[in-house]
């Protein structure tokens, strides 16, 4: 599944299918190459909701199903992966992130699509305010 296809999907509750909101963004832990949380826009005047990816009941091409919960115990800071500059650990520019593919069942990132080609998840080191940092070599197997 692509990040670009998830953004804007409705998030519903199971059973009665009440609409919680729409997906605003996905939060990524670059060191583990996983989607950890879903940021949900709940309307113009309501606060953003954050749901841990493992708290979702299902993720499909048309919607996400969120199980009711008290919310995540700890909400990690969010940094947008899509649109981030890509830098090596030596500071060399390697393009910009256009999109990312991930497995909706395991939340594992499968590939990062950049202006300079595809990056395997094993090259990811970290995602900060200014850039996605990658290993210069092939990295660990993704």
């Amino acid at each position: 599944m692509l990040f670009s296809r998830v953004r804007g999907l409705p998030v519903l509750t199971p059973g009665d299918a009440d609409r919680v909101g729409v997906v605003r963004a996905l939060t990524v832990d670059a060191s583990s190459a996983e989607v950890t949380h879903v940021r949900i826009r709940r309307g113009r005047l309501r606060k953003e909701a954050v749901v841990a990816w493992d708290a979702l009941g299902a993720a499909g091409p048309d919607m996400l199903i969120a199980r009711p919960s008290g919310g995540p115990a700890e909400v990690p800071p969010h940094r947008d992966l899509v649109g981030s500059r890509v830098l090596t650990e030596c500071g060399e520019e390697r393009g910009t992130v256009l999109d990312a593919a991930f497995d909706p069942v395991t939340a594992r990132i499968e590939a990062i699509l950049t202006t300079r080609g595809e990056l395997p998840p094993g090259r990811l080191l970290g995602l900060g305010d200014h850039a996605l940092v990658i290993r210069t070599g092939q990295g660990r197997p993704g």
Side-chain angles (χ1 to χ4, degrees), residues 50-127:
V50 179
V51 176
W53 186 266
D54 58 11
L56 292 177
D62 299 325
M63 73 184 84
L64 302 181
I65 305 295
R67 288 182 278 207
S69 70
E74 183 180 332
V75 177
H78 176 74
R79 294 174 180 93
D80 280 321
L81 176 63
V82 176
S84 293
R85 292 176 47 202
V86 180
L87 299 174
T88 67
E89 73 266 32
C90 299
E92 297 170 5
E93 183 81 35
R94 294 295 166 101
T96 303
V97 176
L98 298 172
D99 212 339
F102 72 104
D103 182 326
V105 175
T106 65
R108 297 276 307 153
I109 293 178
E110 297 171 334
I112 304 294
L113 310 171
T114 76
T115 54
R116 297 198 42 201
E118 187 174 307
L119 293 171
R123 292 192 53 199
L124 305 182
L125 286 174
L127 178 61

